[in-house]
Amino acid sequence: MCPAGHPETTDAVEAERQRWDRDASTRDRVYETAIQLYEPASAAEVAERARCSPDGAREQLEWLADRGIVEPIDGRPKRYQRNNAYIEWARANELRRERTDSELETTLRELLAEHRAFQEQYGVDTPHEVDALEEESIETTWEEIGEWKTVRRDIRRIERARKDRDVFRETGRAD
């Protein structure tokens, strides 16, 4: 795996950088880099990837930390990691804005059916309970466990989007 959540291929990194050269401010580049941090990274590491100075990256990372988008980790050097709660909120909020209630409900029903099918197939409640070594094909099992985890994540996001929509309707604002 690439360090600090970098894209897996050099082509992906280059495509990202070419787009940035045309369109993105330092804040935008640092934000896009920061929300992809699966491991804590220093301002210098973020700066290298975001094509900016370490001081510029540090300033923007602190700005993002003040807003709860990243979490600072004290030490030398200070490191930053993405706030997964923010990421989940942002993705649910995007679903809420882009899809109707009916579309969310249809997708949720489909995902719940997939979840139940995995439960029946493996005879357990969650993918964490599956022992791939006990199955015929370890590779296939791992692939299906990954799909099951994705289904469960998507169910949580859609449920969050639906709940957030209800809050918005009740209060007149998105919390």
Side-chain angles (χ1 to χ4, degrees), residues 93 95-97 99-105 158-175:
N93 195 44
L95 281 171
R96 180 184 59 77
R97 287 191 321 262
R99 300 220 183 140
T100 66
D101 288 343
S102 178
E103 290 170 329
L104 289 174
E105 288 174 23
I158 289 174
E159 287 177 337
R160 170 97 190 240
R162 292 175 70 225
K163 288 176 185 173
D164 287 354
R165 182 170 283 151
D166 291 343
V167 168
F168 181 74
R169 286 183 182 140
E170 290 172 11
T171 64
R173 54 179 242 242
D175 290 335

Side-chain angles (χ1 to χ4, degrees), residues 87-136:
I87 299 300
E88 288 302 310
W89 170 85
R91 290 183 176 149
N93 195 44
E94 185 177 329
L95 281 171
R96 180 184 59 77
R97 287 191 321 262
E98 293 178 352
R99 300 220 183 140
T100 66
D101 288 343
S102 178
E103 290 170 329
L104 289 174
E105 288 174 23
T106 298
T107 303
L108 183 56
R109 282 191 180 93
E110 292 167 356
L111 290 168
L112 289 169
E114 286 183 59
H115 173 66
R116 284 189 296 276
F118 280 121
Q119 287 177 316
E120 290 173 18
Q121 177 181 347
Y122 288 102
V124 295
D125 291 332
T126 68
H128 304 289
E129 298 173 76
V130 176
D131 185 349
L133 296 176
E134 292 180 3
E135 302 298 324
E136 282 186 38

Side-chain angles (χ1 to χ4, degrees), residues 17-67:
R17 288 181 173 172
Q18 286 176 4
R19 184 178 49 77
W20 284 351
D21 287 345
R22 290 188 315 269
D23 306 328
S25 67
T26 299
R27 179 170 290 160
D28 291 341
R29 294 191 310 268
V30 170
Y31 171 81
E32 288 187 33
T33 300
I35 64 171
Q36 295 178 43
L37 295 176
Y38 293 97
E39 301 292 331
S42 68
E45 291 169 315
V46 171
E48 181 180 329
R49 174 143 167 233
R51 286 189 157 173
C52 66
S53 71
D55 286 341
R58 189 173 298 103
E59 179 182 334
Q60 297 310 315
L61 287 164
E62 286 300 319
W63 186 87
L64 294 171
D66 288 345
R67 284 145 185 84

